[in-house]
Amino acid sequence: MGEPGTPQRTVHLEDPRALRAYAHPTRMELVALLRTEGPFTATRAAELTGESVASCSYHLRMLAKYGLVEEAESGAGRDKPWRATAHYTDWQGTDSEAADALSATMAQRYFETMTQALRTRRQLPADWREAEQFGDDVVYLTAAELADLTGRFRELLESYDDRLGDPAKRPEGAEPVTVLRVAFRNRREEAPS
């Protein structure tokens, strides 16, 4: 963890209990909201999610148990503000059924978010509609080349990281943009020897 009150870039999950805890849709939503709208209290979380204050308070405590959120400053009960501990959550390299289940849950969340974005894209100004992208590419790569491509793409996105926590570094007109990174081998059967 860096400076007190400053989220680290990534929190890495390996513990199957933490992976299962994060896979809950309300908890995923709370972490996402804390990253963009936080810090906030359980009362504000309830307003943002439509859940009850008691439910949000419970889920925030569960997230804190696994290091995904923490108390932002002093407060008590419903007046206690929470913040995300990191800008991103990662479980890359964690090989377990819990990690696979979390990945599947996250893919479903991405699908729902993307579908909503496509459904409402006509409401965007023309320049944003033209800038958004939806498509795919198929390339022939070795596992090492895919790992290299992933690293280069990560470096490109990291060049914008300073804007996450410092609104003064965002150019005029900057808006939050979700960039999904999905790359997988098309042939799932084992390759011939």
Side-chain angles (χ1 to χ4, degrees):
M1 186 67 81
E3 299 274 324
T6 303
Q8 58 189 339
R9 183 174 201 288
T10 304
V11 62
H12 182 76
L13 300 180
E14 291 182 6
D15 182 343
R17 295 168 299 180
L19 294 162
R20 284 190 293 272
Y22 185 50
H24 190 284
T26 300
R27 294 180 192 148
M28 284 183 172
E29 183 177 11
L30 286 169
V31 171
L33 285 168
L34 281 167
R35 289 175 176 160
T36 59
E37 308 287 329
F40 53 70
T41 64
T43 300
R44 178 68 179 140
E47 294 168 0
L48 292 169
T49 63
E51 297 285 326
S52 71
V53 174
S55 173
C56 288
S57 182
Y58 169 76
H59 289 304
L60 288 164
R61 287 191 311 274
M62 287 301 295
L63 290 165
K65 178 178 179 178
Y66 296 107
L68 292 158
V69 305
E70 64 188 7
E71 292 181 28
E73 48 193 63
S74 61
R78 294 181 183 174
D79 295 327
K80 175 175 38 181
W82 297 88
R83 70 173 188 97
T85 58
H87 294 294
Y88 303 101
T89 305
D90 170 70
W91 54 97
Q92 188 77 24
T94 304
D95 189 15
S96 68
E97 287 183 24
D100 292 345
L102 176 55
S103 293
T105 301
M106 189 60 76
Q108 181 64 36
R109 180 175 170 80
Y110 289 153
F111 176 77
E112 291 166 1
T113 302
M114 185 177 62
T115 301
Q116 178 64 15
L118 291 171
R119 193 177 300 122
T120 59
R121 77 179 306 271
R122 301 292 323 148
Q123 299 167 11
L124 293 174
D127 60 336
W128 279 100
R129 286 194 311 270
E130 292 168 12
E132 287 187 342
Q133 60 178 303
F134 180 79
D136 68 325
D137 295 292
V138 175
V139 293
Y140 283 81
L141 301 171
T142 65
E145 289 171 326
L146 178 56
D148 177 62
L149 179 63
T150 299
R152 289 192 294 156
F153 196 58
R154 183 182 312 113
E155 286 175 14
L156 176 64
L157 292 175
E158 285 175 357
S159 69
Y160 298 97
D161 273 1
D162 62 338
R163 299 177 181 187
L164 288 170
D166 187 355
K169 293 185 178 179
R170 298 173 194 161
E172 185 176 334
E175 296 286 341
V177 173
T178 297
V179 177
L180 299 178
R181 298 184 321 263
V182 179
F184 54 89
R185 182 178 146 188
N186 286 353
R187 294 186 188 124
R188 301 313 281 184
E189 74 280 355
E190 286 299 312
S193 303

